[in-house]
Amino acid sequence: MAKVYDSKPAADGFHMPGEHEPHAEIWIAWPERSDNWRDGAKPAQRSFVAVARAIAEVTPVTMAVSAAQYDNARSRLPDSVRVVEMSTNDSWMRDIGPTFVTNGQGERRGIQWDFNAWGGLVDGLYFPWDKDDEVAGKLCEILRDDSYKAGIILEGGAIHTDGDGTLFTSEECLLHPSRNPNMSKEEIEQALKDNLGVEKVLWLPEGLYNDETNGHIDNLMHVVKPGEVILSWTEDRQDPQYEISQRAFDFLSSATDARGRSLKIYKVHIPGPLYITEQEAAGVDMSDGMEREAGQRLAGSYANFLITNGRIVMPMLDPKWDDQAREVLQDAFPGHEIVGVAAREILLGGGNVHCITQQVPAV
């Protein structure tokens, strides 16, 4: 079986590569929760299939599926996508899967974070979350990758790295009382350095407006490559997002990364604002933790895309802004192919393309 190390990845010479570096495969988890995904998750399943299809043309995809949904998923997905039976509570692979680290000598290991459904008993989105918390270990076992247990609560969507010593996160999320209330900011930062092999942590104040993950960084911004980032933006001063984006821009503009570089910032306008319709809300079962009510603002963002092996898979969310978002991404990634996927159904569940995927770096 795959070994679980007691040491720290950085001390063993490992670091988290940037998402722009080569991938061996991408993992996704199949949606089926009827209190999160409307109409028995059928519309969401179509969107997940579209995302998997777009990725599978350049990177192998594995879909984790419950026993009950296995045949359904297998019949809907292209033959090139591997389907693996695995129990989950929901389908946010970015947050429940392992974060992978490599050492430059052809070795890769996974990090198993503790998962508490974005807030545990304080403000978590569902209970229980025990199956989700086991996914990272199971995934490493399937890949035969050794791993570490970090011992802190963290989701993959809460961190972005440039693969060159710099990590981006938000104070709103990592310092939230529902994550690691017994740790100081300094202790959390040290844990990030120890586990991810980074030298500098850039703490943005907060995440995207009304993001139920307590402000995941991957909904507000994305790393293009070392020294370059994409930031969610709006010119509407009446929008609560305006102040958030402005503070983030001011912070990033004055920051330097681990190598002393100033950051080039690409602004991508947010879609909408987008809101849940009455018809959409009516298709969702009642839930204790997740609010899926008509009129609720969705945390829509074009920064929630995936980079994989020369392709950008971006969410299409609003005809008014989709083309402009594509132009910004093409400008930032001149050597990449930009592929858009209709993603409102994913957004209705609380996230987007980046949130439902987790990359396994190539070694």
Side-chain angles (χ1 to χ4, degrees):
M1 63 181 271
K3 181 178 178 181
V4 178
Y5 285 86
D6 294 327
S7 51
K8 297 294 184 191
D12 293 345
F14 286 81
H15 79 286
M16 180 184 175
E19 195 176 305
H20 59 280
E21 297 179 56
H23 297 168
E25 63 179 289
I26 298 286
W27 279 71
I28 309 177
W30 188 252
E32 61 175 288
R33 252 190 113 99
S34 60
D35 62 351
N36 188 32
W37 308 101
R38 72 186 182 113
D39 300 340
K42 292 304 172 223
Q45 288 170 5
R46 286 191 287 272
S47 292
F48 276 57
V49 168
V51 171
R53 197 180 290 276
I55 296 168
E57 290 175 358
V58 295
T59 307
V61 174
T62 300
M63 185 73 71
V65 183
S66 72
Q69 281 285 313
Y70 188 93
D71 289 344
N72 177 42
R74 180 64 281 173
S75 68
R76 290 168 177 265
L77 288 159
D79 293 345
S80 60
V81 173
R82 176 173 67 160
V83 180
V84 172
E85 185 181 318
M86 189 181 292
S87 304
T88 62
N89 299 107
D90 203 358
S91 46
W92 303 105
M93 189 57 85
R94 176 67 50 182
D95 294 343
I96 63 178
T99 297
F100 287 97
V101 290
T102 59
N103 67 356
Q105 277 114 50
E107 289 182 279
R108 179 183 64 221
R109 294 176 184 172
I111 298 173
Q112 301 182 47
W113 309 105
D114 292 343
F115 178 77
N116 73 348
W118 310 275
L121 299 178
V122 177
D123 64 347
L125 298 184
Y126 48 74
F127 180 88
W129 52 78
D130 55 327
K131 294 184 180 74
D132 280 350
D133 195 34
E134 293 173 347
V135 166
K138 291 178 178 177
L139 209 152
C140 291
E141 187 77 20
I142 289 171
L143 294 174
R144 293 190 169 87
D145 281 355
D146 294 339
S147 64
Y148 301 89
K149 288 197 172 180
I152 70 166
I153 293 166
L154 188 101
E155 306 95 31
I159 53 173
H160 261 316
T161 180
D162 66 356
D164 194 30
T166 310
L167 187 87
F168 300 82
T169 191
S170 75
E171 292 179 339
E172 179 188 356
C173 184
L174 262 56
L175 303 186
H176 198 278
S178 67
R179 295 308 196 280
N180 299 284
N182 300 324
M183 296 176 72
S184 67
K185 180 179 180 179
E186 292 70 30
E187 288 170 330
I188 293 171
E189 180 166 316
Q190 192 57 52
L192 294 171
K193 291 176 177 177
D194 290 344
N195 283 288
L196 299 169
V198 295
E199 298 153 46
K200 187 170 187 176
V201 179
L202 294 178
W203 293 85
L204 280 76
E206 58 223 307
L208 204 75
Y209 177 69
N210 212 35
D211 185 342
E212 63 186 2
T213 64
N214 305 118
H216 271 187
I217 197 73
D218 72 348
N219 225 11
L220 179 71
M221 60 155 283
H222 208 310
V223 177
V224 178
K225 61 183 181 183
E228 297 186 13
V229 298
I230 284 177
L231 176 66
S232 294
W233 190 256
T234 178
E235 297 291 348
D236 179 5
R237 290 175 177 269
Q238 305 307 310
D239 191 326
Q241 183 58 42
Y242 181 84
E243 291 291 339
I244 295 172
S245 292
Q246 191 65 57
R247 280 193 289 272
F249 181 79
D250 292 345
F251 173 80
L252 292 167
S253 298
S254 60
T256 55
D257 66 13
R259 303 286 169 253
R261 287 177 288 243
S262 295
L263 299 171
K264 180 176 182 180
I265 305 166
Y266 297 87
K267 295 176 181 175
V268 61
H269 204 286
I270 59 170
L274 306 173
Y275 301 89
I276 299 180
T277 67
E278 287 193 16
Q279 181 184 1
E280 289 165 344
V284 183
D285 290 352
M286 284 301 295
S287 158
D288 285 338
M290 295 174 285
E291 293 181 23
R292 301 286 179 263
E293 294 167 6
Q296 179 193 347
R297 178 158 171 178
L298 296 161
S301 165
Y302 292 111
N304 206 299
F305 60 85
L306 176 74
I307 314 169
T308 183
N309 293 340
R311 176 171 285 195
I312 306 294
V313 181
M314 67 165 274
M316 306 287 278
L317 296 167
D318 182 353
K320 181 181 176 184
W321 295 107
D322 285 347
D323 289 346
Q324 187 185 48
R326 182 189 291 270
E327 288 170 14
V328 173
L329 295 187
Q330 194 66 78
D331 187 32
F333 296 93
H336 285 62
E337 180 186 13
I338 314 293
V339 177
V341 175
R344 182 176 174 92
E345 294 297 336
I346 307 175
L347 177 58
L348 286 169
N352 227 295
V353 173
H354 196 258
C355 304
I356 68 169
T357 55
Q358 180 61 276
Q359 70 272 8
V360 181
V363 287

